[in-house]
Amino acid sequence: MKTNPLVKEIVNLAGEKKAEDLVALNVSKITSLSDYFIICSAKNSIQVKAIADNIKDNLKEKPWRTEGYENANWIIIDYVDIVVHIFFEETRHYYDLERIWFDAKTVKIS
């Protein structure tokens, strides 16, 4: 299966700001919410915002919606087919999206 180019670009932009534990999940077969979830984390709220800003500022595609900038514990950037979840480390462990979506296929980014 060919990787969605937008997924690859988002993963690369998050990586530029040292996003940790980056995971891209193909959820298209298990939910109608989106086709892909990209999940990553950061050690502090400044880095969470920096990752989100780098994605929003450098992606040609504009998000449909963003949430979570106020507290920067969990910022969601919604591109409809792709939803980006940027977590503060502890918040990510608490919500554990990977466990909730355990049957999603992990997308290999090369």
Side-chain angles (χ1 to χ4, degrees):
M1 180 188 301
K2 192 170 182 171
T3 303
N4 180 311
L6 195 55
V7 169
K8 186 175 182 175
E9 191 173 355
I10 292 169
V11 166
N12 289 336
L13 289 168
E16 286 177 5
K17 294 298 176 183
K18 309 293 187 234
E20 298 181 1
D21 300 322
L22 256 161
V23 177
L25 301 174
N26 183 331
V27 294
S28 63
K29 302 265 191 250
I30 56 176
T31 183
S32 59
L33 294 173
S34 187
D35 291 338
Y36 298 93
F37 286 170
I38 297 172
I39 305 167
C40 65
S41 51
K43 294 200 183 297
N44 58 60
S45 61
I46 294 168
Q47 187 184 10
V48 169
K49 287 182 180 179
I51 294 165
D53 288 343
N54 198 46
I55 293 167
K56 284 179 41 184
D57 294 347
N58 292 297
L59 206 60
K60 220 181 339 177
E61 183 103 12
K62 296 301 165 205
W64 175 66
R65 188 172 195 155
T66 59
E67 296 287 337
Y69 264 91
E70 311 77 48
N71 296 322
N73 282 323
W74 180 2
I75 295 177
I76 297 172
I77 309 172
D78 189 345
Y79 291 98
V80 182
D81 292 337
I82 301 167
V83 179
V84 184
H85 301 268
I86 308 162
F87 285 100
F88 174 64
E89 224 172 37
E90 292 173 14
T91 307
R92 181 177 183 174
H93 293 297
Y94 179 79
Y95 286 100
D96 198 6
L97 291 186
E98 291 98 320
R99 183 183 54 79
I100 294 169
W101 299 101
F102 72 92
D103 46 352
K105 294 203 183 302
T106 302
V107 177
K108 296 203 186 304
I109 307 295
S110 51

